[in-house]
Amino acid sequence: MVNKFWLEAKNINCFKDGFRVIKDLNLKIAYSENVILIGPNGSGKSSLIEVINRNIYPVITNESTLKIFDKELINLWELRKRISTVNNDIKNRINPNLQVFDLILSGLYGRYCYISNKSERDLYEVENIMRNMKISKLSRKNFSYLSDGEKQISLIARALINKPNILILDEPIANLDYKSQFFVIDKINELSKLNTKILCVTHNISMITSIYDRVIMLKNGEIIADGPQNKVINNKNLNRLYEIDIEVIKKNGFWNINRLTKGQL
């Protein structure tokens, strides 16, 4: 029988710099679902991405198991082909004069630079992904000339060029103005038509749109709520997650937060 889960974690604990950043994690994520992982800064969201990408390793015990694509030991090259991650650090690696077309094409080679020996197949793949994401007009723009929202979408297109099974988006609207936030959110929503499934990691509730089958709340390295968004997104869970007095309202398909009392650190 084919395993329906690409991620299976049982009783997983992880440490970074002497601190336990993942605590007794039990989590399964199916190939069929788009998932959004939400939590405040320092909740362990980025650490979980590092566990998935094999940048940090869990403590091994007889009671713990971590399987990715049904394998406890997985070749890192296979992992990189099947999971693409977009985070905000990537922007610092890119030559500002690199054109968007060449940036996306570089994803086929696992690099962030101009590729001189392009094949006809390479060109087709880039044109196809840009057409599907409706960003063909950006093709010949230098990366430095793009808006912050356009930069983020160009990096997502680059991540998708190899047709990964899973796309991990790490805080995709962090540090963006409202116009860029809405642009990126709308483009990510359009990705739901592709075969790649999304694991979005954020602290911003406005990222939670209808494409996500499941919401997971993470606090202090532990899952405190997990399920369909209409069951998980409520005042009680969000007050516990962020430790502030708020109410949540869904309007026009988007979740919004209203503050009820002054916050305290």
Side-chain angles (χ1 to χ4, degrees), residues 209-256:
T209 60
S210 60
I211 70 166
Y212 295 101
D213 310 287
R214 181 178 171 193
V215 177
I216 299 170
M217 291 184 174
L218 194 68
K219 180 179 180 180
N220 297 327
E222 298 179 276
I223 293 173
I224 65 167
D226 181 358
Q229 55 180 281
N230 286 325
K231 291 186 177 180
V232 170
I233 304 298
N234 56 53
N235 296 346
K236 180 181 178 181
N237 284 340
L238 284 168
N239 288 335
R240 181 184 175 195
L241 185 67
Y242 292 109
E243 297 182 0
I244 51 175
D245 191 13
I246 54 178
E247 67 173 357
V248 61
I249 299 169
K250 193 173 188 180
K251 186 176 181 181
N252 299 326
F254 293 91
W255 296 98
N256 296 285

Side-chain angles (χ1 to χ4, degrees), residues 33 41 43 96 130 142 180 188 207 237:
E33 57 188 356
N41 293 336
S43 62
M130 296 191 79
N142 287 7
S180 294
I188 291 172
M207 276 297 310
N237 284 340

Side-chain angles (χ1 to χ4, degrees), residues 112-158:
Y112 292 93
C113 60
Y114 180 81
I115 304 299
S116 56
N117 298 319
K118 308 176 182 70
S119 70
E120 288 296 321
R121 181 68 183 175
D122 290 346
L123 301 180
Y124 170 80
E125 292 291 350
V126 178
E127 289 167 358
N128 188 50
I129 193 70
M130 296 191 79
R131 184 169 56 251
N132 286 340
M133 294 183 65
K134 301 182 177 66
I135 57 170
S136 298
K137 66 179 182 179
L138 303 179
S139 179
R140 295 304 169 192
K141 280 192 174 184
N142 287 7
F143 188 74
S144 61
Y145 294 164
L146 302 180
S147 71
D148 287 336
E150 290 171 339
K151 287 179 179 178
Q152 190 74 328
I153 291 304
S154 298
L155 291 173
I156 291 173
R158 181 188 178 279

Side-chain angles (χ1 to χ4, degrees), residues 27-157:
L27 177 63
K28 291 183 178 182
I29 302 180
Y31 287 97
S32 60
E33 57 188 356
N34 290 318
V35 176
I36 192 157
L37 179 69
I38 187 166
N41 293 336
S43 62
K45 304 186 303 295
S46 295
S47 295
L48 181 54
I49 294 175
E50 289 187 279
V51 171
I52 292 171
N53 282 324
R54 289 295 206 246
N55 293 324
I56 63 174
Y57 289 82
V59 177
I60 302 299
T61 70
N62 292 333
E63 291 75 33
S64 66
T65 306
L66 177 63
K67 289 184 179 181
I68 300 176
F69 303 119
D70 206 27
K71 296 178 180 179
E72 292 190 58
L73 297 174
I74 185 169
N75 182 285
L76 285 179
W77 290 109
E78 179 186 353
L79 189 67
R80 301 292 179 262
K81 287 180 180 178
R82 300 186 69 178
I83 298 178
S84 285
T85 301
V86 178
N87 58 45
N88 289 297
D89 295 336
I90 294 174
K91 294 174 187 173
N92 300 324
R93 305 182 198 173
I94 297 166
N95 184 323
N97 296 319
L98 190 65
Q99 293 184 344
V100 171
F101 188 96
D102 293 307
L103 170 65
I104 296 172
L105 187 145
S106 72
L108 292 169
Y109 295 84
R111 297 160 70 183
Y112 292 93
C113 60
Y114 180 81
I115 304 299
S116 56
N117 298 319
K118 308 176 182 70
S119 70
E120 288 296 321
R121 181 68 183 175
D122 290 346
L123 301 180
Y124 170 80
E125 292 291 350
V126 178
E127 289 167 358
N128 188 50
I129 193 70
M130 296 191 79
R131 184 169 56 251
N132 286 340
M133 294 183 65
K134 301 182 177 66
I135 57 170
S136 298
K137 66 179 182 179
L138 303 179
S139 179
R140 295 304 169 192
K141 280 192 174 184
N142 287 7
F143 188 74
S144 61
Y145 294 164
L146 302 180
S147 71
D148 287 336
E150 290 171 339
K151 287 179 179 178
Q152 190 74 328
I153 291 304
S154 298
L155 291 173
I156 291 173

